Amino acid sequence: MLNHIILQGRMVGDADLRHTNNGRAYANYRIAVERNYKPEGGERETDFINCTSWGKQGEMVSQFFHKGDMIIVSGALQMRDYTDRDGNKRTAASVAVQEVNFGGTKREPAPYAQPAGYQASGYGAPAREEAPAKEPEFVAVSDMADGDLPF
């Protein structure tokens, strides 16, 4: 089975760093993720997604990510059933984060297509200038000899 989710969004607020009774750190935070489509005549809708990072990663998120910063998270989607104060059954979704990446701050755009060797720090690291990409050369399968075919 596969349960893997990758999200890019903005921090809704600063992360809430806490510790378990055993002393293990964890950070809870929410990110705002815009949907890929825009309804006709409307604005893009936004989903607010709860995330949890554990251990050193949780400490790092609480130290280096702040409200409005772009963040990229990768992890597993978890569903939790609970009963609210009124006795209604509810379901909550959250992401158990396994990997976190900087995606830019409010002042700089997210590096969507990062050149090789570029590490996005999100805090003013300059992007490396690259030469424009060359157009790929396409060869029709009918132009290849039988020995050149990869299958």
Side-chain angles (χ1 to χ4, degrees):
M1 301 287 169
L2 179 65
N3 180 356
H4 190 81
I5 186 168
I6 300 171
L7 300 167
Q8 177 179 1
R10 293 206 180 272
M11 296 282 291
V12 174
D14 289 346
D16 180 24
L17 181 65
R18 296 181 181 208
H19 293 82
T20 64
N21 292 337
N22 297 341
R24 187 168 181 212
Y26 66 97
N28 289 319
Y29 50 98
R30 292 183 90 188
I31 62 174
V33 179
E34 283 188 344
R35 294 187 182 173
N36 287 337
Y37 61 91
K38 183 171 146 180
E40 190 173 319
E43 294 185 25
R44 286 185 194 268
E45 294 182 18
T46 302
D47 293 307
F48 296 90
I49 301 170
N50 295 320
C51 299
T52 303
S53 291
W54 287 88
K56 296 274 186 200
Q57 183 184 83
E59 293 172 353
M60 187 269 302
V61 168
S62 71
Q63 182 178 0
F64 293 108
F65 288 92
H66 303 287
K67 181 178 180 177
D69 287 347
M70 187 68 74
I71 187 170
I72 303 167
V73 297
S74 171
L77 182 63
Q78 295 183 339
M79 306 300 289
R80 181 176 55 88
D81 294 324
Y82 67 98
T83 305
D84 68 12
R85 293 182 211 163
D86 300 328
N88 300 316
K89 293 190 181 232
R90 304 279 184 194
T91 301
S94 65
V95 177
V97 177
Q98 297 163 346
E99 186 177 337
V100 171
N101 289 293
F102 292 97
T105 64
K106 286 189 246 182
R107 294 166 297 285
E108 62 183 63
Y112 292 107
Q114 298 177 5
Y118 173 77
Q119 287 187 316
S121 72
Y123 291 94
R128 196 173 69 175
E129 300 249 348
E130 295 269 333
K134 250 177 46 173
E135 286 288 324
E137 291 182 30
F138 292 100
V139 177
V141 173
S142 60
D143 294 341
M144 300 175 109
D146 285 342
D148 294 335
L149 295 176
F151 48 89

